[in-house]
Every structure is written in C-alpha cells, then in structure tokens.
Amino acid sequence: MMPNTRLFQVITVCFLSLLSNTAHAQLGDIKDISAARAAKLNMAFAELIAKHNINTAGVAVIKRQKVIWQNQFGQQSSGVPATANTLFNIASLTKTITAETILRLAAQGKLSLDEPVAPYWLDPDLNGDPRVHQLTARMLLSHTGGFINWRYFADDGKLRFIDAPGNSFNYSGEGYEYLAKYAENKLGVPFPKLVQSTIFEPLSMSSAAIVVDKSNFANIAEPLDKDGKFYGFYCHPAGYCSKEGSYSAAANLVITVADYARFLISSMQGEGLSAALIQDRNTMQGIQFTQSEIICGDAPTSACPSQLGYGLGWSMAHLPNGNTIGHRGTNWSIVSLTYYYPDSGDGLIIFFNAPNKSGIAGMIDALKLLDPDSPEIQGYKLRLARSQ
C-alpha cells in the first residue's frame, strides 16, 4: 500500500530531480552479469541483508528482456532458508497484475476502458453521488478516479471522492478494488478466476496467488517486525488479518521472483495487447507533476524529469534521455520495487520481506549494486531520512 499524501509525491519529485551527474549517456544500460560478478553479487547481498536486518530478499536482473541473474537470500521462516520457491508478498505491485488482467481482457473485447463502470458496480458508500456515473476503467487504472487511497483513512471509514473523476491524479488502492468489482460483475466471473485464466495460466505462473490460501502459508516469507515478532500471514500489527478466501486487487498477492519476472517480461513485450493498446498503456495519463511544477535544484537539465505520473497501471517518469516504467510497493513488512527501461529492455525486480525502515535502507544499497545510476535511489534516501 502506498501513502496517498502530497509529501509522498514531493519526495517522488525530489528523487527523480536529484539524479547523479554520472548518469549513463543512454538511460537504462544495466550492467551485464558474468559468472564472476554473480558470485560477487551473491556475497554482497548476503552482507546487505545481514547489515540491514532484512528477513528475506528476492532479486532478479533483466537484460534485453531476459533474466540474466536471480537469487534469494535470508530465511523463509525460522531455520528455513529462502529458495526459488519462496513466495513474497509484493504489496502494491499486485496492481500491475490487476492492470494487465484488465488490459488483456479489454484487448479481447470483453471489457472497455472507457465505458461507465456504474452499471456493473456501485459501491454502497457512493449511492446517491452522481459522480459515480463518470467513472471508467481508464480513470481507475491511471489513478484519476478521484478516490481517497483507502476508505479507512476517512474519519467515517467510508469510501468517498476527493475530486471529480478524471479531474486529477490521486493514488488509490480503492480504485483498483473498484476496478475488480467492475470486471467480475460485468463478466459474471470472480476476479481471481479472471486473473488466473488471463495471466497466471497463460504465463505458467504456478506460484502466484491473489487469494488468501492457507495451503500457501508454508512457502510465504514470514513477515516480522523490527523486534522479530510474527503476527501471522496477511496480518497487521494493529491486530487485523485478511480472511481465508479473500482477495485484494491492490495488494497482498504472493509470488516467486521467477514468476514475477516472467510476468514483467511478458508485459514489457506487450503480450496479449494490440499495438495501439500498448502505446495507450505506456502513455502517461495520470499526471502527478508537469515540468513547471518540478524543482530540480542543482541537478543538470539532462536529469530533470518533464513529467511524473502513471500510465494504465504502471508508474512512469519522463526524462530527457529516456523513460522508466514500473511500480513500488510498501507496507510495514514489505518494500518491493520493479522497473524497466523500455528503450533497452533492461529492468530490475527487488522484493524485501523486512521491517519498513530496514527495507528502505536495504533498497538503497541494492540499487547501488545493481543499477548505480537508478532514478530510484534518491527517493529511497529521502524516505529513509523521513523515518529517522
């Protein structure tokens, strides 16, 4: 779950505007990994997780749309080392799976990105609000639906609009839950089954699970707080847990690193989508900031983003020498990140099962190891400073 605050957006601007002066001439040239370098990375990540008190880590490096290095580190649970079969809760990266499901169903003519959602789903909290009839799947995918992030952030615990649909960017997990309800009601199929038949089965993602299923618990990386306390799978230290059989279209999907890499490469290649829909998906539609709103400080012009925002389900940054497409996920025990450079086909997947502060600190070091010119590094530095 990502915070829906102006401060988070300002931090996003800052980290992209503070890119290193040593950036590659061609954005996205992630260094290749030889056998010797792989051995060094294995040692470096073993040291990294010990240094930052990270319980479990899963990492993959993609070069020219192929996985060139992947490994897992730490423990899956007490006394059980992480393996290639370890399942990671990827928090808000779940939204990328949901987005690709909706887009591929739209490509098949089963859903429409621009029809009103209201005939198929109207949340009881919004009954009587005429703005619901303006909502479309495109708006929900691009975080321009006008919703609060999560209804429990509201004083009364009810879902509400904070802006008119289509008017402005507001990151919203509720928007993705709404999107899932639209799809399953229109098609008469539970959303988890739509994900299974549209994404998981065609890509042979046998490990991925969007539904809370106790049979997976033995393979899930055990979430622990900074004191090493375990509250249960799909549980929060505040005392609540997701119920068996429930699902979220916005968070809590569990998956192996290998299966997510398979999905990411499929998405990079635009599988299941028309050329027009790929272009649509990769075009920024929910704009957080325009160039006139971005203060780059002492950063060179080449490192100053012209726009920040979201396409259809994916975050993106427009920089003078290239773009990035990806997503971040964060909660009390998860720090997850994926992104790729469309021009080169290079990308990263980093899953940390760790207390939030530890995961953020570890992400900085991980990015320095794998992609030292990454536009993500300064953002995590600023987030870490906030947590001090």
Side-chain angles (χ1 to χ4, degrees):
M1 166 171 56
M2 296 174 66
N4 186 29
T5 65
R6 184 70 176 174
L7 181 57
F8 178 83
Q9 294 177 343
V10 170
I11 286 173
T12 304
V13 172
C14 290
F15 83 71
L16 285 167
S17 66
L18 291 173
L19 287 168
S20 167
N21 289 336
T22 61
H24 293 306
Q26 176 65 40
L27 184 72
D29 182 20
I30 294 178
K31 186 178 179 181
D32 213 339
I33 298 179
S34 64
R37 184 164 182 246
K40 290 180 179 179
L41 285 173
N42 288 335
M43 293 179 60
F45 268 89
E47 294 172 358
L48 184 155
I49 66 166
K51 172 185 175 182
H52 294 293
N53 191 33
I54 292 170
N55 305 316
T56 330
V59 188
V61 177
I62 295 168
K63 186 78 175 172
R64 294 182 291 276
Q65 298 187 355
K66 294 183 179 180
V67 176
I68 61 169
W69 180 71
Q70 176 196 318
N71 210 342
Q72 295 73 222
F73 305 89
Q75 61 178 18
Q76 180 174 290
S77 58
S78 180
V80 179
T83 71
N85 295 320
T86 296
L87 298 175
F88 290 85
N89 186 319
I90 59 173
S92 282
L93 266 65
T94 302
K95 294 182 180 71
T96 62
I97 301 283
T98 293
E100 288 295 310
T101 299
I102 297 297
L103 290 168
R104 296 183 192 198
L105 289 170
Q108 296 168 20
K110 297 178 180 178
L111 299 177
S112 170
L113 299 184
D114 296 306
E115 70 178 352
V117 169
Y120 305 99
W121 173 244
L122 200 165
D123 189 284
D125 287 354
L126 301 175
N127 192 25
D129 191 325
R131 291 174 292 184
V132 297
H133 300 287
Q134 302 171 32
L135 276 174
T136 66
R138 181 183 301 277
M139 294 174 189
L140 297 171
L141 283 168
S142 60
H143 297 284
T144 59
F147 286 144
I148 192 171
N149 189 5
W150 293 104
R151 69 185 73 202
Y152 58 76
F153 289 161
D155 292 340
D156 58 4
K158 292 185 178 182
L159 180 62
R160 60 183 175 86
F161 288 104
I162 55 177
D163 203 353
N167 193 48
S168 65
F169 176 91
N170 293 284
Y171 186 90
S172 178
E174 291 285 355
Y176 274 66
E177 304 294 1
Y178 216 98
L179 192 62
K181 287 291 187 182
Y182 154 68
E184 67 181 17
N185 286 350
K186 178 169 184 177
L187 300 179
V189 180
F191 188 70
K193 289 189 176 181
L194 293 174
V195 175
Q196 187 73 29
S197 62
T198 306
I199 302 294
F200 295 164
E201 290 176 358
L203 297 180
S204 299
M205 296 166 60
S206 59
S207 78
I210 194 170
V211 174
V212 176
D213 182 349
K214 290 182 180 178
S215 68
N216 288 323
F217 286 8
N219 292 321
I220 298 175
E222 192 173 84
L224 306 173
D225 69 10
K226 62 183 178 61
D227 298 316
K229 184 175 180 179
F230 174 59
Y231 297 87
F233 294 106
Y234 300 96
C235 293
H236 190 277
Y240 58 85
C241 302
S242 298
K243 296 180 180 179
E244 170 81 2
S246 68
Y247 78 91
S248 170
N252 282 339
L253 182 142
V254 295
I255 194 169
T256 62
V257 175
D259 270 357
Y260 193 85
R262 188 174 292 113
F263 162 75
L264 181 62
I265 292 170
S266 173
S267 177
M268 292 167 69
Q269 295 173 343
E271 288 186 353
L273 305 181
S274 66
L277 194 50
I278 293 169
Q279 182 176 2
D280 212 17
R281 180 195 66 183
N282 294 351
T283 298
M284 192 179 296
Q285 304 195 32
I287 301 175
Q288 290 172 284
F289 295 98
T290 61
Q291 191 167 31
S292 63
E293 298 172 304
I294 298 171
I295 299 174
C296 291
D298 295 330
T301 302
S302 62
C304 185
S306 59
Q307 283 186 327
L308 303 172
Y310 274 73
L312 298 179
W314 297 83
S315 65
M316 54 189 60
H318 291 172
L319 293 144
N321 57 347
N323 302 329
T324 62
I325 296 176
H327 214 290
R328 302 171 204 89
T330 306
N331 68 23
W332 70 274
S333 66
I334 300 162
V335 178
S336 56
L337 171 69
T338 189
Y339 65 90
Y340 65 92
Y341 302 97
D343 291 343
S344 67
D346 294 359
L348 295 179
I349 298 166
I350 304 174
F351 298 158
F352 284 156
N353 168 40
N356 183 260
K357 184 176 177 181
S358 297
I360 291 171
M363 188 66 74
I364 296 168
D365 284 352
L367 289 170
K368 287 179 178 178
L369 285 170
L370 299 173
D371 187 15
D373 294 331
S374 171
E376 298 283 347
I377 291 174
Q378 291 296 335
Y380 283 105
K381 285 183 176 179
L382 290 168
R383 290 170 68 185
L384 183 62
R386 277 179 57 205
S387 67
Q388 301 297 337

